Amino acid sequence: MPELEITKIQELVYELWVGDVMHNDVVTVTPSTPLSNLREILRDNRISGTPVVENGRLVGIISMEDFIKWLCEGSPGCAVADRMSRNVIAVCADEPLIQAINKLERLGFGRLPVIKRGTKEVVGILTKGDSIAGLLKKLDIDYRQAETRHPRSSHIFEDIVADRSSLIFEYDVAGGGDVERGGASASGLKTSLMRLGIDPQTVRRAAIATYEAEMNLMFFTNGGLITAIIESDSIRLEVTDDGPGIENVDQAMRPGFSTAPDWVRELGFGAGMGLYNIKTCADRMRLDSTVGVGTRLEVEILVGGKREVIRDNATVTA
Amino acid sequence: MKLSEIMQRLQLEVIAGSGSLLREVNGGYASDLLSDVIANAQERDLWVTLQTHQNIIAVASMKELAGIVLVNAREPEVDTLEKAKEENVPLLVSPLPAFELIGRLYKLGISGMRT
Amino acid sequence: MKLKDVCKILEAEPVRKVDSSRWRSREVASCQASDLISDMLSFRGPGSLLLTGLTNIQVIRAAELLDFVGICFVRGKRPEPEAVKLAEEKDIPLFATPLLMYESCGRLYAAKLPAGTRKEASPIA
């Protein structure tokens, strides 16, 4: 998909700032630096030019070219100030990289000093190489995010030859209220569903339902199992545990009803919205519970649902 | 601004404590964490929350808050309602989400900055 | 409104010192304020900014599952280390403002940031 890639790079160029890709450790000289010293400075730092700075402010730029010209003239004794160009074009650190690249291109320069807006203080130097390296780095970072956008397994259901096929993912959830671990199942399911190329809205619904079910297992049971059965047109979740069970299912379904103790509330839970949230995400929902035996929750979410706005139309069978 | 005026202008439904609507509101406080409200809310603040547990009444009463507004059309639990009536704590409800309701209160001039 | 505008309005600082180009231009579609996870999960609308006083790792989970554009912690609260670590993994920008929740909402609302959409609460059949 070459077109897509170009768009992506264009986007990145607009998102990057000069300050993000410039070299901070810029080598500078002062106007009074003797030109005879310049050769070592350029050679030792492997650079072909350097900004001239006086009292922290940018006053000029001197390049290898200026130096060679000076050599050709028989190296008369003089200082940087006598040979530098005073009409310096610089870029600001908070300028978009794209502007700086245009400047480099238009002027045919290999480098531009970077100054702080307003103060003219030299804070870095930008080369063509930096710009490219910055883009590559950014591409690399974004690759991991892009991965879920270009799913690798999105054709799996078409590739498999069968009258019916389904994928089954299982997640073990520990009980005992270990808040740090909670949500790992929902997160894992979300990532997996994105990789299957399922639309983000459907994925979010499945992830939210899974998360709420996971938190219920974590806070109220000794642990349980979440099974996700994925077919080409639906996601089914089965959540089971072996106790303690819900005393009054109708009451538990009511938004705002919660049996959570204060410590759970202070963690941001116990708003009494858990089962209700699951219901708003589901196309079908079934909750069976027997006190002392356990609870079984079944949720069905249709893939590619038309709901722009989530409607409250799940069928609940208790 | 008096609580009654805020109630009218933002179309809040009063479900308890209607006898105390002439209370002056000094500022606004928004939080769903009781410990935070106990620590940081000030006298005569109007408290915006979606907690409906009966403890909110005890906190409002203890901190001498001007009243409580429940957002997202949350219905209080029965115990909460009873307690609010008992303690004469104004309990109001808005269908708006917290962000929207606070925004509108802010526009009425109810500040969230501490003096 | 972009994340960098939010930072300015809320006098907020990024929690993680990542290079700002990673987040500053991301568009904020809407805002929601909550200290309760399930309430956060009842909102819809990717690209929303979350304002919260809750600092545990589950706030990051909620942001991950709902595709929030970022989280701003209010009243000077700092997220717990595990929360920061997960945010890093999931590339979720985190900010901290000294302002209280109420003031933060008021300022953003006054700057015309809309509230996140939410399913209408309706009684269970």
Side-chain angles (χ1 to χ4, degrees), chain A residues 28-104:
Chain A
T28 61
V29 293
T30 64
S32 57
T33 306
L35 264 184
S36 46
N37 289 2
L38 195 62
R39 189 209 309 246
E40 281 77 52
I41 294 171
L42 296 181
R43 192 191 55 209
D44 292 353
N45 294 295
R46 309 179 69 176
I47 50 178
S48 55
T50 169
V52 185
V53 174
E54 192 171 27
N55 301 326
R57 291 165 63 94
L58 179 68
V59 292
I61 192 155
I62 189 142
S63 68
M64 185 76 87
E65 234 179 297
D66 299 323
F67 181 73
I68 291 168
K69 237 161 132 190
W70 171 76
L71 282 178
C72 292
E73 285 170 23
S75 353
C78 63
V80 164
D82 304 318
R83 296 293 172 145
M84 68 184 187
S85 12
R86 290 172 189 275
N87 189 16
V88 202
I89 294 175
V91 288
C92 294
D94 60 356
E95 218 172 283
L97 183 61
I98 183 76
Q99 278 182 25
I101 290 177
N102 285 341
K103 266 186 200 169
L104 282 168

Side-chain angles (χ1 to χ4, degrees), chain A residues 4 28 40 45 47 53 65 78 80 84 132 136 168 177 182 191 197 212 221-223 230 234 244 269 272 297 307 314:
Chain A
L4 250 177
T28 61
E40 281 77 52
N45 294 295
I47 50 178
V53 174
E65 234 179 297
C78 63
V80 164
M84 68 184 187
I132 293 167
L136 287 177
I168 298 177
T191 307
E212 292 286 14
T221 76
N222 301 318
I230 293 100
S234 76
F269 293 93
L297 170 71
R307 352 168 129 197

Side-chain angles (χ1 to χ4, degrees), chain C residues 68-84:
Chain C
F68 288 159
V69 66
I71 305 171
C72 186
F73 299 94
V74 297
R75 68 188 144 83
K77 296 275 251 178
R78 293 275 160 169
E80 291 164 19
E82 305 81 47
V84 177

